[in-house]
Amino acid sequence: DAKTTQPPSMDCAEGRAANLPCNHSTISGNEYVYWYRQIHSQGPQYIIHGLKNNETNEMASLIITEDRKSSTLILPHATLRDTAVYYCIVRGREYGNKLVFGAGTILRVKS
Amino acid sequence: GAVVSQHPSRVICKSGTSVKIECRSLDFQATTMFWYRQFPKKSLMLMATSNEGSKATYEQGVEKDKFLINHASLTLSTLTVTSAHPEDSSFYICSARRAGRTSLWEQYFGPGTRLTVT
């Protein structure tokens, strides 16, 4: 399984874009990049996933570099409710695969 | 849709007793459910995978006789912590994969259960 590296913590001003990086230099061709977040004392919440194209949904955008060795999750207008731990996970989509969480990035959105 | 509930949300039990945690998929059927535990300020650790109607598969280092998992129906999985000790105090989270779906992201998490063993 490809290993991911994320900064332990980041701060972001309310209303500004939050850009959360993730390095996954050993990613293989059939592995997707998944992002989840966990607000304090809650279960994780799915945000977005992608293979090689950039993706956008109502929550966030995912930018994957052309060589797929890194990606960035973008929250376009961060709010205080976006304060959470953000997890970048790289896994193949085969049925037997399981979500395995690393340390993640603590994002603190400040007013 | 895709709501997963856990019951109870918090439980306090005495050392040596057993406690059962329920995980339910409310609006979908789940052939596979997962159980995680999370210590304070730590990441989630996958404990086991349960498939409806069959025995659970435990991750390395997880005691299957201590953490009994039952997945008797397509909407319910239970985790029983037997002979609980203070070191079992943790946040237990389940997730459920929608039946017939194979995509990893189609896995929905419950809100978690805070277990405190005194």
Side-chain angles (χ1 to χ4, degrees), chain B:
Chain B
V3 178
V4 176
S5 71
Q6 286 184 237
H7 178 79
S9 57
R10 290 177 177 271
V11 58
I12 301 172
C13 70
K14 291 187 182 298
S15 187
T17 62
S18 297
V19 61
K20 180 185 287 187
I21 302 170
E22 293 185 348
C23 175
R24 293 182 185 273
S25 55
L26 297 185
D27 51 0
F28 66 98
Q29 292 185 328
T31 47
T32 304
M33 290 185 173
F34 303 88
W35 287 94
Y36 295 80
R37 68 187 296 184
Q38 185 174 34
F39 292 109
K41 298 188 178 181
K42 298 293 185 182
S43 187
L44 289 82
M45 184 194 80
L46 180 64
M47 299 175 66
T49 303
S50 75
N51 292 296
E52 187 264 339
S54 62
K55 289 184 178 181
T57 302
Y58 291 81
E59 296 298 307
Q60 192 172 8
V62 177
E63 299 175 63
K64 61 180 180 181
D65 294 331
K66 180 165 187 63
F67 299 100
L68 300 179
I69 292 172
N70 183 278
H71 192 162
S73 79
L74 287 172
T75 58
L76 174 64
S77 176
T78 60
L79 168 69
T80 301
V81 183
T82 63
S83 186
H85 291 285
E87 57 264 31
D88 298 323
S89 297
S90 189
F91 192 50
Y92 292 87
I93 304 168
C94 74
S95 68
R97 178 177 290 163
R98 191 188 290 270
R101 304 297 177 93
T102 58
S103 299
L104 210 60
W105 66 272
E106 292 183 284
Q107 180 178 328
Y108 307 97
F109 287 82
T113 295
R114 177 80 56 193
L115 170 64
T116 303
V117 184
T118 61

Side-chain angles (χ1 to χ4, degrees), chain A residues 48-68:
Chain A
I48 199 168
H49 75 284
L51 183 62
K52 50 185 173 181
N53 296 325
N54 298 337
E55 302 288 345
T56 295
N57 62 21
E58 64 278 4
M59 288 184 69
S61 294
L62 175 60
I63 307 299
I64 302 174
T65 58
E66 194 168 336
D67 62 8
R68 304 209 323 123

